[in-house]
């Protein structure tokens, strides 16, 4: 005899529980954690490097690098004397909360003010997997085209800020900035958008200013 | 390939529920998949067939309900269903002043199982 059993369970509830544990660990250590997501090649590692150059030197930064394979990105970060942990997902196209949890054992959280988690380059799955980060930042880039918010709404729906990298290429590419902005505004009204170029440095200060303000707000909350 | 991890998560929720119910076999799974997640039904079916081999859920039928996002027009007040790629304007009045929400859940709604005890009520049970 067949029986009908109601379940009504979010399929990623196990991941979400691990993410909540990560967030508790981050909060206990009092640091701000940022999940950086983008398609491959949009400039996640470049943004981290450009940010490190301009952030106040008194801030202690750590990085978790997620890649399907290789340690290329981690080596670029380590060259700046920043503590970095590489996660190789071995084929998985995104990081999940348990992967981040195992990476945390290689970092001393109380010795950090800011932790970047660089997700695997992909505009689909990383949106679904909460890592326990406080902020989700999506990096788009001019050569990808202005239609990304329309095609990958799930990614932008959950973002706290969007960086549009490679802005120096704008004159050479048919990128409709107002269409891009509009796509963001119908999904996330009022979301901060930073036009910048990691290559030329234009616009990076505005992004770093916003990030620093987020850090200060977080510390204010934490101190209360 | 994006559906692999999602399908693993689906299967583990299904098997957990089936075992809790003492089921002998899962015959069907009711899923809700948000249309704005970019997950493809056929791909979920493909991975489910592959991953469920040798489990209680082998051969289970997947009933996938796509849950669209909801658009709301600030100009005409109308609401409309949204599937990607998104349209930049309200399909009812053409206004660009719209907002889109939802369509990003992934839920196992229910499972249908065959009971663990082959003859719980003895011969002739209903």
């Amino acid at each position: 005899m067949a029986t009908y059993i109601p379940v009504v369970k979010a399929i990623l509830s196990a991941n979400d529980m691990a993410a909540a544990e990560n967030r508790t660990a981050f909060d206990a250590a009092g640091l701000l954690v940022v999940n950086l997501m983008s398609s491959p090649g949009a400039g996640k590692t470049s943004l981290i490097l450009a940010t490190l150059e301009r952030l106040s030197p008194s801030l202690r930064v750590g990085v978790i690098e997620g890649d399907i394979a290789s340690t290329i990105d981690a080596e670029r970060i380590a060259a700046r004397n920043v503590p970095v942990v590489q996660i190789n997902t071995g084929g998985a196209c995104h990081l999940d909360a348990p992967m981040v949890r195992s990476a945390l054992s290689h970092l001393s959280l109380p010795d950090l003010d800011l932790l970047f988690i660089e997700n695997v380059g992909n505009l689909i799955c990383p949106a679904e997997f909460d890592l326990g980060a406080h902020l989700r930042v999506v990096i788009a880039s001019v050569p990808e085209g202005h239609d990304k918010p329309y095609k990958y709404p799930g990614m932008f729906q959950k973002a706290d800020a969007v960086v549009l990298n490679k802005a120096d290429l704008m004159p050479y590419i048919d990128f409709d900035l107002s269409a891009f902005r509009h796509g963001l505004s119908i999904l996330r009204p009022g979301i901060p958008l930073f036009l910048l170029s990691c290559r030329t440095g234009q616009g990076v200060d505005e992004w770093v200013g916003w990030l620093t303000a987020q850090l200060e707000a977080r510390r204010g909350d934490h101190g209360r | 390939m994006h559906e692999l991890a999602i399908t693993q998560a689906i299967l583990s929720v299904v098997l957990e529920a089936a075992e809790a119910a003492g089921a002998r076999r899962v015959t069907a799974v009711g899923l809700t998949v948000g249309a704005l997640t970019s997950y493809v039904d056929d791909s979920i079916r493909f991975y489910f067939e592959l991953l469920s081999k040798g489990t209680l859920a082998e051969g289970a039928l997947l009933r996938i309900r796509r849950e669209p996002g909801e658009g709301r027009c600030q100009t005409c007040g109308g609401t409309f269903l949204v599937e990607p790629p998104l349209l930049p304007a309200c399909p009812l009045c053409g206004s660009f002043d719209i907002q889109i929400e939802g369509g990003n859940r992934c839920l196992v709604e229910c499972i249908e199982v065959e009971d663990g005890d082959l003859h719980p009520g003895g011969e002739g049970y209903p």
Side-chain angles (χ1 to χ4, degrees):
Chain A
M1 194 183 104
T3 309
Y4 170 94
I5 301 173
V7 182
V8 199
K9 188 167 179 187
I11 61 169
L12 291 176
S13 38
N15 180 76
D16 291 347
M17 275 163 61
E21 285 168 20
N22 289 349
R23 199 171 287 117
T24 305
F26 298 145
D27 288 344
L31 74 165
L32 178 75
V33 183
V34 182
N35 179 4
L36 291 175
M37 298 176 285
S38 80
S39 45
K44 293 180 293 299
T45 312
S46 300
L47 183 70
I48 294 173
L49 293 172
T51 306
L52 288 173
E53 262 173 33
R54 286 171 171 78
L55 264 184
S56 159
S58 64
L59 290 172
R60 301 160 303 170
V61 184
V63 177
I64 294 176
E65 280 288 339
D67 281 294
I68 287 177
S70 92
T71 54
I72 296 169
D73 287 350
E75 285 161 19
R76 289 173 70 192
I77 304 288
R80 304 289 179 93
N81 290 320
V82 167
V84 56
V85 184
Q86 176 80 52
I87 301 175
N88 282 141
T89 62
C93 54
H94 57 275
L95 294 178
D96 62 29
M99 289 182 205
V100 169
R101 183 171 52 197
S102 22
L104 294 182
S105 59
H106 301 281
L107 289 169
S108 173
L109 294 184
D111 295 329
L112 296 177
D113 300 301
L114 174 63
L115 175 65
F116 287 115
I117 304 176
E118 181 181 330
N119 220 308
V120 179
N122 169 4
L123 287 179
I124 301 177
C125 310
E128 300 299 317
F129 289 81
D130 185 7
L131 304 180
H134 302 105
L135 296 172
R136 296 163 179 246
V137 175
V138 178
I139 304 164
S141 67
V142 168
E144 292 170 57
H146 52 257
D147 55 5
K148 289 296 160 289
Y150 301 91
K151 284 184 169 173
Y152 300 94
M155 175 56 80
F156 292 91
Q157 258 181 327
K158 295 178 183 172
D160 296 299
V162 174
V163 167
L164 181 58
N165 188 24
K166 310 186 191 181
D168 52 321
L169 298 181
M170 202 76 88
Y172 311 103
I173 288 171
D174 294 328
F175 187 95
D176 185 340
L177 181 58
S178 64
F180 183 79
R181 270 188 206 281
H182 182 64
L184 293 182
S185 73
I186 62 180
L187 293 166
R188 290 284 273 163
I191 188 171
L193 169 65
F194 301 96
L195 263 75
L196 56 80
S197 165
C198 294
R199 196 175 73 87
T200 67
Q202 73 178 84
V204 178
D205 284 337
E206 285 78 4
W207 149 253
V208 170
W210 178 83
L211 189 62
T212 308
Q214 302 302 308
L215 259 163
E216 280 160 9
R218 181 102 210 125
R219 280 183 175 162
D221 285 350
H222 193 69
R224 232 174 272 150
Chain B
M1 71 169 287
H2 301 300
E3 289 76 6
L4 174 60
I6 283 297
T7 311
Q8 274 164 338
I10 292 169
L11 182 63
S12 86
V13 171
V14 167
L15 293 178
E16 195 179 297
E19 279 158 22
R24 188 163 54 89
R25 197 167 82 85
V26 180
T27 51
V29 176
L31 286 177
T32 292
V33 177
L36 305 197
T37 58
S38 309
Y39 291 121
V40 178
D41 290 4
D42 281 351
S43 197
I44 293 175
R45 291 182 200 285
F46 170 80
Y47 283 118
F48 192 87
E49 197 183 322
L50 209 70
L51 294 168
S52 65
K53 283 218 167 81
T55 73
L56 291 180
E58 179 168 353
L61 177 72
L62 291 189
R63 296 199 188 98
I64 303 179
R65 186 178 73 86
R66 299 294 284 188
E67 183 174 67
E70 192 186 75
R72 188 177 299 276
C73 177
Q74 314 297 318
T75 304
C76 75
T79 58
F80 48 94
L81 300 181
V82 179
E83 305 250 356
L86 307 190
L87 297 174
C90 171
L92 307 168
C93 76
S95 162
F96 283 82
D97 192 4
I98 57 173
Q99 274 177 30
I100 291 164
E101 287 178 349
N104 46 27
R105 302 192 306 165
C106 280
L107 296 176
V108 174
E109 297 282 2
C110 63
I111 56 175
E112 281 170 36
V113 302
E114 283 176 6
D115 293 338
D117 189 341
L118 282 174
H119 301 289
E123 287 298 320
Y125 78 98

